[in-house]
């Protein structure tokens, strides 16, 4: 309860404090400080949930169970490491004149607000508030994407705002339909939107309304997950915003959106007693994996390429949750964790590399190993990890997803293998010359943030061959909650 | 006077006003008139909410009607007027291609919406049976308006009209969402429009125009 309070208070207070002092050099450290407090609160909360089981708070308006507590912990962790990464990164941006003190203040303040909206979306029990928090997360990030005020970044932010706005409006319609179905069972009022209440009566919800509601919810939140064909905002927003924001968008926001879809799927499954929701997820997931893999080949901008890689991996998770069952859900959750960690590590490395080369065009970034070996190795290791090389965790989760697919949907397996193969060829052939190869570039004026990169990669590596028993138990509980 | 027959009719009147306004917005070329139409649409939502509130005796609906009036019929139109004055686009006329085709596509969308919402309206016990279909039709029409517009402000108005339609759906089908949620949605809409306002100045500063066609550089080649 107290940990939960700190979890909300810390980023909110951070937003206010940084709105006042974010432009000063000390703002960078304040940002890290508040992120650290949030992370500590999330850690305490996690221990409490692991020991005592699910928790209701504030008159059932908030609800923590094994499914969301693991995402809360992940969000707080990546929020902290990204804050650490953004210290040297943003100093260089200031030196280059791309960030002014005013923009730094906006950046720091909105960063904390963004973390707050994600934590709120994850922990709220009210599906209406979930929607409000998701929309607020969009609003908080849209000005971050356009923070450089370049034509390309304005375009990206406009696209992001309009597409996600439309998407999230569909989700609101879905929520209204859900409330319509729920109020017939639970009566009007706030109870009819509480997930825990709905979960108890899910079999009584009207199947007709629920199936239509799920279609709208999936389209709506799916826009934010980056599912093809409603993914168009994602590569632009990732490529044109500052790199720390790309890292949190990819590593966290997409997860939160997928989490929202999963919560709705549980209710829909209960109401329909069929594989309708699962089949939709399988379809969208497969389409996203295959489409994104082929788009990877055409990219010239390094952040854009890894943004497409995020679409591919979100598709893979969606596919896994669509298959359902304990093994696929376990694999999906594991993949969620490892993808967050590894992808944000890659963005950290890419951020330093692009800053050094002064461009995000891959053909112009060469010889990282010569000019900055640590960043070079970080990028190489991260790339191998995200492409599913053993012993990294992505390999384990992809292996589990593929084997489950072989049993349940044999025809999908060759498609997935093909897509993963194409993705490997596309990404590896681009990253290899960036890391090896020759360069005459100078070192960066400020030492890069190496710790976040390797902490993430080490965790990703650990999850590849050893998952601690409490973590396994936790994943299994969460996988059971998703059902399917 | 037969109130039982009158009330659903009154509600249907507001609903059809919304639908007609959605079509009118689809074909309106002048930005200023578009804002007037949007204001009228907001007023229809307020009217519909008041009718539902009066029939069902749910007090929180009066509050949400007041909120809608303040936000959708006064504050946002006022902000939009200020915006077009400051940006000096008050008298702008947009060239729209093929208004008859757009109308026809719009009619198809309405039919689709009614088909989708039909089975659900049967189940909805509320006084507003047909209105869910109309609300969905308005959502789709606003969506279409956003797709077909090339200028920033009409796109935003399309977005806000969609929000209006959703709000109408919530009132008509479910007698309004719980108050906390409604307040949250209202806050998001307000913050959204403020951010969009900031955005338009940034876009203008960069491109000397509010034409979204300038924003099509980031394409896959």
């Amino acid at each position: 309860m107290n940990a939960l309070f700190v979890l909300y208070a810390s980023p909110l207070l951070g937003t206010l404090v940084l709105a006042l002092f974010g432009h000063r050099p000390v703002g960078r450290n304040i940002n890290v400080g508040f992120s650290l407090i949030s992370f500590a609160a999330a850690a305490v909360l996690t221990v409490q949930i692991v020991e005592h089981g699910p928790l209701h708070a504030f008159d059932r308006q908030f609800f923590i169970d094994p499914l969301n507590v693991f995402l809360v912990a992940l969000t707080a962790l990546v929020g902290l490491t990204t804050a650490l990464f953004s210290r040297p990164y943003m100093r260089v941006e200031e030196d280059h004149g791309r960030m002014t003190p005013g923009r730094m203040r906006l950046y720091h303040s909105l960063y904390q607000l963004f973390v707050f909206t994600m934590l709120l979306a994850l922990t709220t029990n009210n599906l209406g508030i979930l929607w409000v928090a998701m929309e607020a997360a969009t609003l908080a990030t849209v000005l971050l994407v356009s923070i450089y005020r370049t034509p390309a970044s304005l375009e990206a932010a406009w696209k992001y705002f309009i597409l996600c706005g439309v998407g999230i409006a569909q989700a609101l319609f879905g929520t209204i339909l859900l409330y319509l179905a729920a109020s017939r069972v639970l009566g009007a009022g706030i109870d009819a939107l509480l997930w825990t209440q709905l979960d108890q009566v899910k079999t009584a919800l009207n199947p007709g309304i629920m199936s239509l509601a799920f279609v709208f919810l999936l389209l709506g939140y799916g826009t934010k997950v980056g599912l093809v064909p409603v993914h168009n905002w994602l590569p632009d927003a990732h490529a044109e915003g500052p790199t720390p924001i790309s890292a949190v968008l990819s590593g966290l926001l997409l997860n939160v959106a997928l989490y929202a879809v999963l919560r709705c799927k549980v209710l829909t499954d209960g109401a329909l007693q069929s594989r309708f929701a699962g089949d939709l997820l399988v379809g969208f997931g497969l389409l996203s994996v295959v489409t994104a893999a082929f788009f990877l080949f055409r990219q010239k901008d390094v952040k854009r390429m890894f943004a497409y890689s995020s679409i591919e991996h979100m598709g893979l998770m969606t596919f896994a949750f669509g298959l359902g069952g304990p093994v696929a859900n376990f694999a999906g959750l594991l993949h969620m964790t490892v993808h967050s960690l590894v992808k944000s590590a890659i963005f950290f490395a890419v951020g330093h590399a692009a800053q050094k080369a002064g461009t995000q065009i891959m053909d112009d970034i060469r010889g990282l190993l010569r000019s900055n070996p640590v960043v070079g190795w970080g990028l190489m290791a991260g790339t191998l990890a995200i492409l599913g090389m053993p012993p990294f965790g992505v390999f384990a989760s992809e292996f589990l997803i593929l084997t489950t697919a072989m049993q349940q949907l044999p025809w999908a397996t060759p498609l997935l293998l093909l897509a993963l193969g194409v993705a490997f060829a596309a990404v590896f052939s681009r990253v290899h010359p960036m890391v090896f190869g020759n360069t005459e570039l100078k070192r960066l004026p400020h030492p890069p943030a190496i710790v976040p990169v390797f902490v993430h990669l080490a965790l990703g590596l650990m999850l590849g061959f050893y998952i601690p028993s409490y973590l396994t138990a936790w994943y299994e509980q969460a996988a059971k909650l998703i059902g399917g | 006077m037969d109130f039982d027959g009158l009330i659903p009719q009154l509600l249907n009147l507001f609903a059809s006003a919304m639908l007609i306004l959605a079509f009118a917005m689809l074909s309106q070329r002048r930005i200023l008139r578009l804002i007037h139409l949007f204001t009228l649409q907001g007023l229809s939502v307020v009217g519909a909410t008041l009718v539902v509130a009066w029939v069902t005796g749910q007090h929180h609906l009066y509050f949400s009607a007041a909120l809608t009036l303040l936000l959708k019929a006064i504050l946002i139109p006022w902000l939009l007027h200020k915006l077009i004055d400051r940006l000096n686009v008050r008298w702008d006329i947009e060239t729209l291609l093929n208004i008859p085709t757009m109308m026809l596509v719009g009619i198809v969308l309405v039919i689709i919406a009614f088909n989708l919402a039909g089975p659900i309206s049967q189940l909805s016990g509320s006084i507003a049976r047909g209105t869910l279909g109309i609300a969905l039709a308005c959502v789709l029409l606003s969506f279409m308006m956003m797709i077909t517009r090339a200028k920033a402000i009409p796109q935003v108005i399309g977005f806000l009209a969609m929000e209006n339609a959703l709000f109408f759906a919530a009132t008509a089908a479910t007698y309004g969402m719980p108050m906390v949620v409604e307040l949250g949605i209202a806050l998001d809409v307000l913050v959204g429009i403020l951010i969009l306002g900031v955005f338009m100045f940034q876009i203008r500063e960069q491109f000397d125009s509010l034409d979204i066609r300038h924003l099509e550089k980031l394409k896959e080649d």
Side-chain angles (χ1 to χ4, degrees), chain B:
Chain B
M1 200 149 167
D2 181 15
F3 271 108
D4 291 345
L6 191 66
I7 293 298
Q9 294 225 2
L10 204 55
L11 197 59
N12 282 335
L13 177 72
F14 284 121
S16 22
M18 282 205 60
L19 192 59
I20 291 171
L21 286 168
F23 270 106
M25 285 163 104
L26 198 59
S27 58
Q28 182 53 256
R29 297 183 302 161
R30 285 173 195 277
I31 288 185
L32 188 62
R33 289 203 193 140
L34 211 50
I35 297 178
H36 292 330
L37 289 173
F38 170 73
T39 316
L40 278 177
Q41 206 186 31
L43 286 173
S44 323
V45 179
V46 174
T49 315
L50 282 176
V51 172
V52 177
W54 192 63
V55 176
T56 59
Q58 299 216 19
H59 293 290
H60 79 268
L61 279 178
Y62 287 110
F63 187 77
S64 73
L67 190 69
T68 319
L69 182 71
L70 190 72
L71 199 65
K72 299 281 177 61
I74 298 172
L75 195 57
I76 290 181
W78 180 73
L79 282 171
L80 286 171
H81 277 290
K82 259 190 94 97
L83 195 65
I84 59 171
D85 272 347
R86 292 269 297 274
L87 292 168
N88 210 5
V89 291
R90 178 169 277 265
W91 306 110
D92 268 24
I93 300 172
E94 202 178 348
T95 40
L96 286 178
L97 294 169
N98 249 329
I99 292 181
T101 322
M102 270 167 48
M103 292 288 117
L104 283 176
V105 176
I107 291 170
V108 174
L109 286 181
V110 174
I111 296 172
I112 294 174
F114 270 76
N115 269 322
L116 268 178
I120 293 174
S121 306
Q122 300 293 320
L123 297 164
S124 151
S126 72
I127 45 166
R129 295 213 161 191
T131 46
L132 193 65
I134 293 187
L136 185 56
C138 291
V139 172
L140 294 179
L141 287 172
S142 320
F143 186 42
M144 185 174 154
M145 176 178 160
M146 289 180 72
I147 296 172
T148 51
R149 296 300 175 126
K151 293 236 158 94
I153 292 180
Q155 262 197 354
V156 170
I157 294 178
F159 179 67
L160 291 166
M162 191 187 285
E163 210 84 53
N164 266 348
L166 286 169
F167 196 85
F168 179 70
T171 316
T174 66
Y175 302 149
M177 305 279 271
M179 208 60 232
V180 193
V181 179
E182 242 164 50
L183 281 175
I185 296 171
L187 183 71
D188 276 348
V189 172
L190 189 62
V191 174
I193 183 90
L194 291 175
I195 290 181
L196 277 168
V198 173
F199 239 32
M200 302 228 194
F201 284 101
Q202 294 182 355
I203 290 176
R204 244 271 284 262
E205 199 181 304
Q206 276 293 342
F207 301 100
D208 286 325
S209 142
L210 277 177
D211 205 320
I212 299 298
R213 275 176 287 223
H214 293 292
L215 299 182
E216 285 175 1
K217 300 275 172 349
L218 293 176
K219 277 212 174 125
E220 308 302 335
D221 22 40

